Amino acid sequence: MNLSFPKKRHTHSFDLTNSTATDTMVGVNQMKPLMLETQDSDRSIPTGEDGFADEHSKRNESPVLNTPASGAPANPDFFSQVLRFLFCFTGLQVSYLTWGYMQELIMTTTFEPTPSAPDGKFPSAAFCVFSNRFLAIIVAIIAVKIKHGSVLANNVAPLMAFAPCALSNTMSSWSQYASLRYVSFPVQTVFKSSKIIPVMIMGKVLKGTGYPSSQYVEAFFITVGVAVFSIFSKSSDKDTATEVIGLLYMVSYICFDCFTSQWQDKIYVKYGRANVDPYQMMLGVNSSAIVMTTAGLLLNGDIPKIIEFFQTNPSVLQYNIVTAITSATGQLFIYTTIKEFGPIVFTVIMTTRQMISICISSFIFKHPMSVKALCGAVIVFGVLFYQIRRKYLARQNRSN
């Protein structure tokens, strides 16, 4: 397959995140995320359950996720957790750095015009979402069949349980694709960098989660650091002008994306993390999503326009295939990360992707990095290293 990229007429940075909607599991207990510390000397803040331990105890239930096996340590080995975290982090970065570049290539490049797309722009954001879901559901069916011996018979969580996050994931992806034409790079950066706090708020709304004030402060500094780094490390006088419809798309993207990760975590909590693996989550979400996206394509009459566009611009089909592959691998890492570390840690990883993409671009194309941008990077990584060190010291104190 010859992927000859056309010259792009835009200068946006890579996209920050796709929502949703990853592989190795750790058994019954969810791993304690590195970014969280204990509220007191005896209990860590449960991310993923996000406070559900208290709810279980109030109902005199035995919480599946919080009760370690007899004689087992309360927490996994710290360094083993670090290795798992790095595995998830690397998988997410590789998958979505590639996915983000291909996404913008499809949606913002001016290709050969067609009668239904006289401006040369790809005519259907919904098809980009559809192609991602189509390959993902094939991968999920194969994986579930191999691992569980049956596609549906051994699933504890019913398919309808995944419908809300499938809808929000589909709307998030569609809003993100559609916004690329109407929002300038600085505005995109501010919105995408600010997802951590909305995710925490959504956790409070959906699950009654309580986060310590220190975590909100840390999330705020990460948001500011990423925004400063991204805005001052990349600028262009050819950037897309921001329109009101673009702002509406970005607000929709943030809201739907925050709902998606928190609802997925809620499924893990409700049905037990040992009973729902990433492949089953991937199958459940994409089963509902493929129905929604197919209906959208048919109702909008996009299929004839897409076929016509592919016939005139066959390279765009190749780009969609690459995007679908990286989206599928990215989803596997998403579900693994949310299951083991919770939605907040996942959001932090995806937020820092903006910085990594810009660093790679600066290195490859030898773009200078401003002092203000470096200050933003120092803020972000300073907070992250502080969180890791604090968690490590807390575990050492508990083990002693």
Short mmCIF file of all heavy atoms in Angstrom, two decimals, residues 29-79:
data_model
loop_
_atom_site.label_atom_id
_atom_site.label_comp_id
_atom_site.label_asym_id
_atom_site.label_seq_id
_atom_site.Cartn_x
_atom_site.Cartn_y
_atom_site.Cartn_z
N ASN A 29 -8.39 -7.22 41.61
CA ASN A 29 -8.16 -5.89 42.15
C ASN A 29 -7.74 -4.90 41.09
O ASN A 29 -6.90 -5.20 40.26
CB ASN A 29 -7.07 -5.95 43.22
CG ASN A 29 -7.52 -6.74 44.42
OD1 ASN A 29 -8.64 -6.56 44.88
ND2 ASN A 29 -6.67 -7.63 44.91
N GLN A 30 -8.32 -3.72 41.13
CA GLN A 30 -7.86 -2.65 40.25
C GLN A 30 -6.58 -2.07 40.80
O GLN A 30 -6.39 -1.94 41.99
CB GLN A 30 -8.90 -1.54 40.17
CG GLN A 30 -8.45 -0.40 39.26
CD GLN A 30 -9.31 0.81 39.43
OE1 GLN A 30 -10.08 0.87 40.36
NE2 GLN A 30 -9.15 1.77 38.56
N MET A 31 -5.65 -1.74 39.93
CA MET A 31 -4.39 -1.19 40.37
C MET A 31 -4.58 0.24 40.84
O MET A 31 -5.33 1.01 40.26
CB MET A 31 -3.37 -1.23 39.23
CG MET A 31 -3.15 -2.62 38.70
SD MET A 31 -1.95 -2.65 37.38
CE MET A 31 -0.48 -2.29 38.34
N LYS A 32 -3.90 0.61 41.89
CA LYS A 32 -4.00 1.97 42.40
C LYS A 32 -3.22 2.91 41.50
O LYS A 32 -2.03 2.71 41.28
CB LYS A 32 -3.42 2.04 43.81
CG LYS A 32 -4.09 1.07 44.78
CD LYS A 32 -5.53 1.42 45.02
CE LYS A 32 -6.16 0.48 46.03
NZ LYS A 32 -7.55 0.73 46.25
N PRO A 33 -3.83 3.92 40.97
CA PRO A 33 -3.15 4.79 40.05
C PRO A 33 -2.04 5.59 40.73
O PRO A 33 -2.12 5.95 41.89
CB PRO A 33 -4.24 5.73 39.53
CG PRO A 33 -5.37 5.56 40.47
CD PRO A 33 -5.24 4.24 41.13
N LEU A 34 -1.00 5.87 39.94
CA LEU A 34 0.16 6.56 40.47
C LEU A 34 -0.16 7.96 40.93
O LEU A 34 0.50 8.50 41.81
CB LEU A 34 1.25 6.62 39.39
CG LEU A 34 1.77 5.27 38.90
CD1 LEU A 34 2.75 5.50 37.76
CD2 LEU A 34 2.44 4.50 40.02
N MET A 35 -1.17 8.57 40.33
CA MET A 35 -1.38 9.99 40.58
C MET A 35 -2.17 10.26 41.86
O MET A 35 -2.37 11.40 42.22
CB MET A 35 -2.09 10.64 39.39
CG MET A 35 -3.51 10.14 39.19
SD MET A 35 -4.31 10.94 37.81
CE MET A 35 -4.40 12.61 38.42
N LEU A 36 -2.63 9.21 42.53
CA LEU A 36 -3.45 9.42 43.70
C LEU A 36 -2.72 9.06 44.97
O LEU A 36 -1.94 8.12 45.01
CB LEU A 36 -4.74 8.58 43.61
CG LEU A 36 -5.63 8.90 42.42
CD1 LEU A 36 -6.85 8.01 42.46
CD2 LEU A 36 -6.02 10.36 42.42
N GLU A 37 -2.98 9.78 46.02
CA GLU A 37 -2.40 9.48 47.32
C GLU A 37 -3.49 9.09 48.28
O GLU A 37 -4.67 9.17 48.00
CB GLU A 37 -1.63 10.69 47.86
CG GLU A 37 -2.54 11.86 48.20
CD GLU A 37 -1.77 12.99 48.85
OE1 GLU A 37 -0.64 12.76 49.28
OE2 GLU A 37 -2.30 14.09 48.94
N THR A 38 -3.11 8.68 49.48
CA THR A 38 -4.09 8.25 50.45
C THR A 38 -4.73 9.45 51.12
O THR A 38 -4.10 10.47 51.36
CB THR A 38 -3.43 7.38 51.52
OG1 THR A 38 -2.36 8.12 52.09
CG2 THR A 38 -2.89 6.11 50.93
N GLN A 39 -6.01 9.30 51.43
CA GLN A 39 -6.69 10.33 52.20
C GLN A 39 -6.31 10.25 53.66
O GLN A 39 -6.30 11.22 54.38
CB GLN A 39 -8.21 10.16 52.07
CG GLN A 39 -8.75 10.62 50.72
CD GLN A 39 -10.23 10.43 50.67
OE1 GLN A 39 -10.74 9.37 51.02
NE2 GLN A 39 -10.95 11.43 50.21
N ASP A 40 -6.03 9.03 54.11
CA ASP A 40 -5.55 8.86 55.46
C ASP A 40 -4.52 7.75 55.44
O ASP A 40 -4.15 7.26 54.39
CB ASP A 40 -6.70 8.55 56.42
CG ASP A 40 -7.55 7.39 55.91
OD1 ASP A 40 -6.99 6.30 55.70
OD2 ASP A 40 -8.76 7.59 55.74
N SER A 41 -4.06 7.35 56.58
CA SER A 41 -2.98 6.37 56.63
C SER A 41 -3.41 4.98 56.25
O SER A 41 -2.58 4.12 56.01
CB SER A 41 -2.38 6.34 58.05
OG SER A 41 -3.39 5.99 58.98
N ASP A 42 -4.70 4.71 56.18
CA ASP A 42 -5.17 3.34 55.98
C ASP A 42 -5.80 3.07 54.62
O ASP A 42 -5.86 1.96 54.18
CB ASP A 42 -6.20 2.97 57.07
CG ASP A 42 -5.58 3.01 58.45
OD1 ASP A 42 -4.43 2.57 58.58
OD2 ASP A 42 -6.27 3.47 59.37
N ARG A 43 -6.31 4.08 53.94
CA ARG A 43 -7.10 3.81 52.74
C ARG A 43 -6.68 4.73 51.60
O ARG A 43 -6.60 5.93 51.76
CB ARG A 43 -8.60 4.01 53.03
CG ARG A 43 -9.49 3.62 51.86
CD ARG A 43 -10.93 3.63 52.28
NE ARG A 43 -11.39 4.96 52.64
CZ ARG A 43 -11.87 5.83 51.75
NH1 ARG A 43 -11.93 5.52 50.50
NH2 ARG A 43 -12.28 7.01 52.15
N SER A 44 -6.43 4.13 50.45
CA SER A 44 -6.12 4.92 49.26
C SER A 44 -7.40 5.32 48.58
O SER A 44 -8.42 4.65 48.68
CB SER A 44 -5.28 4.09 48.27
OG SER A 44 -4.02 3.82 48.82
N ILE A 45 -7.36 6.42 47.89
CA ILE A 45 -8.53 6.87 47.12
C ILE A 45 -8.71 5.92 45.96
O ILE A 45 -7.80 5.76 45.16
CB ILE A 45 -8.31 8.29 46.58
CG1 ILE A 45 -8.06 9.23 47.74
CG2 ILE A 45 -9.50 8.74 45.76
CD1 ILE A 45 -7.54 10.56 47.29
N PRO A 46 -9.84 5.25 45.84
CA PRO A 46 -9.99 4.26 44.78
C PRO A 46 -10.35 4.92 43.47
O PRO A 46 -11.45 5.42 43.30
CB PRO A 46 -11.13 3.36 45.29
CG PRO A 46 -11.94 4.24 46.17
CD PRO A 46 -11.01 5.28 46.73
N THR A 47 -9.45 4.92 42.54
CA THR A 47 -9.79 5.41 41.21
C THR A 47 -10.27 4.24 40.40
O THR A 47 -9.76 3.14 40.48
CB THR A 47 -8.57 6.03 40.54
OG1 THR A 47 -8.11 7.09 41.35
CG2 THR A 47 -8.91 6.56 39.17
N GLY A 48 -11.24 4.47 39.52
CA GLY A 48 -11.91 3.38 38.84
C GLY A 48 -13.18 3.10 39.60
O GLY A 48 -14.26 3.32 39.11
N GLU A 49 -13.08 2.64 40.87
CA GLU A 49 -14.28 2.57 41.70
C GLU A 49 -14.71 3.98 42.04
O GLU A 49 -15.88 4.26 42.19
CB GLU A 49 -13.98 1.83 43.01
CG GLU A 49 -13.65 0.38 42.82
CD GLU A 49 -12.17 0.16 42.94
OE1 GLU A 49 -11.40 0.98 42.44
OE2 GLU A 49 -11.79 -0.83 43.54
N ASP A 50 -13.73 4.87 42.21
CA ASP A 50 -14.00 6.28 42.49
C ASP A 50 -14.96 6.45 43.65
O ASP A 50 -16.03 7.06 43.54
CB ASP A 50 -14.57 6.98 41.25
CG ASP A 50 -13.51 7.20 40.21
OD1 ASP A 50 -12.34 7.35 40.61
OD2 ASP A 50 -13.85 7.24 39.03
N GLY A 51 -14.58 5.91 44.80
CA GLY A 51 -15.38 6.13 45.98
C GLY A 51 -16.44 5.08 46.22
O GLY A 51 -17.17 5.15 47.19
N PHE A 52 -16.53 4.06 45.36
CA PHE A 52 -17.59 3.07 45.51
C PHE A 52 -17.32 2.11 46.66
O PHE A 52 -18.21 1.38 47.06
CB PHE A 52 -17.73 2.27 44.21
CG PHE A 52 -18.63 2.93 43.23
CD1 PHE A 52 -18.26 4.12 42.60
CD2 PHE A 52 -19.87 2.41 42.93
CE1 PHE A 52 -19.09 4.73 41.71
CE2 PHE A 52 -20.71 3.02 42.02
CZ PHE A 52 -20.31 4.18 41.41
N ALA A 53 -16.11 2.10 47.21
CA ALA A 53 -15.85 1.23 48.36
C ALA A 53 -16.75 1.63 49.52
O ALA A 53 -17.32 0.79 50.21
CB ALA A 53 -14.39 1.34 48.76
N ASP A 54 -16.90 2.93 49.73
CA ASP A 54 -17.76 3.40 50.80
C ASP A 54 -19.21 3.01 50.53
O ASP A 54 -19.96 2.66 51.43
CB ASP A 54 -17.64 4.92 50.94
CG ASP A 54 -16.29 5.31 51.54
OD1 ASP A 54 -15.64 4.43 52.14
OD2 ASP A 54 -15.92 6.47 51.39
N GLU A 55 -19.61 3.11 49.26
CA GLU A 55 -20.99 2.77 48.91
C GLU A 55 -21.26 1.30 49.17
O GLU A 55 -22.30 0.91 49.68
CB GLU A 55 -21.25 3.12 47.45
CG GLU A 55 -22.69 2.81 47.01
CD GLU A 55 -22.88 3.15 45.55
OE1 GLU A 55 -22.14 3.98 45.03
OE2 GLU A 55 -23.78 2.58 44.95
N HIS A 56 -20.27 0.45 48.82
CA HIS A 56 -20.45 -0.98 49.05
C HIS A 56 -20.58 -1.28 50.54
O HIS A 56 -21.41 -2.08 50.95
CB HIS A 56 -19.26 -1.75 48.47
CG HIS A 56 -19.33 -1.92 47.00
ND1 HIS A 56 -20.31 -2.67 46.39
CD2 HIS A 56 -18.53 -1.45 46.01
CE1 HIS A 56 -20.12 -2.65 45.08
NE2 HIS A 56 -19.06 -1.92 44.83
N SER A 57 -19.74 -0.63 51.34
CA SER A 57 -19.77 -0.93 52.76
C SER A 57 -21.06 -0.47 53.40
O SER A 57 -21.56 -1.09 54.34
CB SER A 57 -18.56 -0.26 53.45
OG SER A 57 -18.62 1.14 53.30
N LYS A 58 -21.62 0.63 52.88
CA LYS A 58 -22.88 1.11 53.43
C LYS A 58 -24.02 0.12 53.17
O LYS A 58 -24.95 0.01 53.94
CB LYS A 58 -23.23 2.47 52.81
CG LYS A 58 -22.33 3.60 53.32
CD LYS A 58 -22.67 4.89 52.61
CE LYS A 58 -21.76 6.04 53.04
NZ LYS A 58 -22.06 7.29 52.33
N ARG A 59 -23.90 -0.61 52.04
CA ARG A 59 -24.96 -1.55 51.71
C ARG A 59 -24.63 -2.95 52.23
O ARG A 59 -25.29 -3.92 51.88
CB ARG A 59 -25.15 -1.60 50.19
CG ARG A 59 -25.69 -0.30 49.63
CD ARG A 59 -25.87 -0.38 48.14
NE ARG A 59 -24.61 -0.61 47.46
CZ ARG A 59 -24.50 -0.70 46.15
NH1 ARG A 59 -25.54 -0.59 45.39
NH2 ARG A 59 -23.31 -0.90 45.59
N ASN A 60 -23.55 -3.07 53.04
CA ASN A 60 -23.13 -4.35 53.61
C ASN A 60 -22.85 -5.38 52.55
O ASN A 60 -23.09 -6.56 52.72
CB ASN A 60 -24.20 -4.88 54.59
CG ASN A 60 -24.38 -3.97 55.78
OD1 ASN A 60 -23.40 -3.46 56.33
ND2 ASN A 60 -25.62 -3.75 56.18
N GLU A 61 -22.36 -4.91 51.37
CA GLU A 61 -21.98 -5.83 50.32
C GLU A 61 -20.48 -6.05 50.38
O GLU A 61 -19.74 -5.27 50.94
CB GLU A 61 -22.35 -5.26 48.94
CG GLU A 61 -23.84 -5.09 48.77
CD GLU A 61 -24.17 -4.48 47.42
OE1 GLU A 61 -23.25 -4.24 46.66
OE2 GLU A 61 -25.35 -4.25 47.17
N SER A 62 -20.06 -7.14 49.81
CA SER A 62 -18.62 -7.42 49.74
C SER A 62 -18.10 -6.89 48.43
O SER A 62 -18.37 -7.46 47.38
CB SER A 62 -18.38 -8.93 49.82
OG SER A 62 -17.00 -9.20 49.68
N PRO A 63 -17.40 -5.78 48.41
CA PRO A 63 -16.95 -5.18 47.16
C PRO A 63 -15.94 -6.07 46.46
O PRO A 63 -14.89 -6.38 47.00
CB PRO A 63 -16.32 -3.85 47.60
CG PRO A 63 -15.98 -4.05 49.04
CD PRO A 63 -16.97 -5.02 49.59
N VAL A 64 -16.26 -6.44 45.26
CA VAL A 64 -15.40 -7.35 44.50
C VAL A 64 -14.03 -6.73 44.25
O VAL A 64 -13.02 -7.40 44.26
CB VAL A 64 -16.07 -7.70 43.15
CG1 VAL A 64 -15.15 -8.54 42.29
CG2 VAL A 64 -17.37 -8.42 43.41
N LEU A 65 -14.01 -5.41 44.05
CA LEU A 65 -12.79 -4.78 43.58
C LEU A 65 -11.83 -4.44 44.70
O LEU A 65 -10.65 -4.26 44.45
CB LEU A 65 -13.14 -3.48 42.83
CG LEU A 65 -14.14 -3.65 41.72
CD1 LEU A 65 -14.42 -2.31 41.08
CD2 LEU A 65 -13.65 -4.64 40.70
N ASN A 66 -12.30 -4.32 45.91
CA ASN A 66 -11.45 -3.82 46.97
C ASN A 66 -10.96 -4.89 47.94
O ASN A 66 -10.15 -4.61 48.80
CB ASN A 66 -12.21 -2.75 47.77
CG ASN A 66 -12.44 -1.52 46.95
OD1 ASN A 66 -11.65 -1.22 46.07
ND2 ASN A 66 -13.51 -0.80 47.24
N THR A 67 -11.49 -6.09 47.83
CA THR A 67 -11.12 -7.12 48.79
C THR A 67 -10.02 -7.99 48.21
O THR A 67 -10.26 -8.74 47.28
CB THR A 67 -12.34 -8.00 49.12
OG1 THR A 67 -13.39 -7.16 49.59
CG2 THR A 67 -11.97 -9.02 50.19
N PRO A 68 -8.80 -7.92 48.72
CA PRO A 68 -7.72 -8.75 48.19
C PRO A 68 -7.90 -10.19 48.60
O PRO A 68 -8.57 -10.51 49.58
CB PRO A 68 -6.47 -8.13 48.82
CG PRO A 68 -6.95 -7.50 50.09
CD PRO A 68 -8.35 -7.05 49.82
N ALA A 69 -7.28 -11.07 47.85
CA ALA A 69 -7.32 -12.48 48.19
C ALA A 69 -6.61 -12.70 49.51
O ALA A 69 -5.74 -11.94 49.91
CB ALA A 69 -6.65 -13.30 47.09
N SER A 70 -7.01 -13.75 50.20
CA SER A 70 -6.44 -14.02 51.52
C SER A 70 -4.94 -14.19 51.42
O SER A 70 -4.44 -14.98 50.63
CB SER A 70 -7.08 -15.29 52.08
OG SER A 70 -6.50 -15.61 53.32
N GLY A 71 -4.22 -13.44 52.22
CA GLY A 71 -2.77 -13.52 52.24
C GLY A 71 -2.10 -12.72 51.16
O GLY A 71 -0.88 -12.65 51.10
N ALA A 72 -2.87 -12.10 50.26
CA ALA A 72 -2.28 -11.32 49.17
C ALA A 72 -2.00 -9.91 49.65
O ALA A 72 -2.69 -9.39 50.52
CB ALA A 72 -3.24 -11.28 47.97
N PRO A 73 -1.00 -9.25 49.10
CA PRO A 73 -0.72 -7.87 49.50
C PRO A 73 -1.84 -6.96 49.08
O PRO A 73 -2.55 -7.21 48.12
CB PRO A 73 0.58 -7.55 48.73
CG PRO A 73 0.58 -8.51 47.58
CD PRO A 73 -0.08 -9.74 48.09
N ALA A 74 -2.03 -5.87 49.82
CA ALA A 74 -3.13 -4.94 49.54
C ALA A 74 -2.94 -4.26 48.21
O ALA A 74 -3.89 -3.92 47.54
CB ALA A 74 -3.23 -3.92 50.66
N ASN A 75 -1.68 -4.01 47.82
CA ASN A 75 -1.41 -3.32 46.56
C ASN A 75 -0.36 -4.09 45.77
O ASN A 75 0.52 -4.73 46.35
CB ASN A 75 -0.87 -1.91 46.84
CG ASN A 75 -1.92 -1.03 47.51
OD1 ASN A 75 -3.01 -0.90 47.00
ND2 ASN A 75 -1.57 -0.47 48.65
N PRO A 76 -0.42 -4.04 44.45
CA PRO A 76 0.62 -4.69 43.65
C PRO A 76 1.96 -4.01 43.89
O PRO A 76 2.04 -2.90 44.36
CB PRO A 76 0.14 -4.46 42.20
CG PRO A 76 -1.28 -4.08 42.31
CD PRO A 76 -1.44 -3.42 43.64
N ASP A 77 2.99 -4.69 43.52
CA ASP A 77 4.33 -4.12 43.64
C ASP A 77 4.41 -2.83 42.84
O ASP A 77 3.95 -2.75 41.71
CB ASP A 77 5.36 -5.12 43.13
CG ASP A 77 6.76 -4.56 43.18
OD1 ASP A 77 7.32 -4.45 44.30
OD2 ASP A 77 7.26 -4.19 42.12
N PHE A 78 5.00 -1.81 43.45
CA PHE A 78 5.04 -0.49 42.83
C PHE A 78 5.71 -0.51 41.47
O PHE A 78 5.22 0.05 40.50
CB PHE A 78 5.75 0.50 43.77
CG PHE A 78 5.88 1.88 43.20
CD1 PHE A 78 4.82 2.77 43.24
CD2 PHE A 78 7.06 2.30 42.61
CE1 PHE A 78 4.92 4.04 42.72
CE2 PHE A 78 7.17 3.57 42.08
CZ PHE A 78 6.11 4.45 42.13
N PHE A 79 6.86 -1.18 41.40
CA PHE A 79 7.61 -1.16 40.15
C PHE A 79 6.93 -1.98 39.07
O PHE A 79 7.03 -1.67 37.88
CB PHE A 79 9.04 -1.65 40.39
CG PHE A 79 9.85 -0.71 41.24
CD1 PHE A 79 10.12 -1.01 42.56
CD2 PHE A 79 10.30 0.50 40.72
CE1 PHE A 79 10.83 -0.13 43.36
CE2 PHE A 79 11.01 1.39 41.51
CZ PHE A 79 11.28 1.07 42.83
#
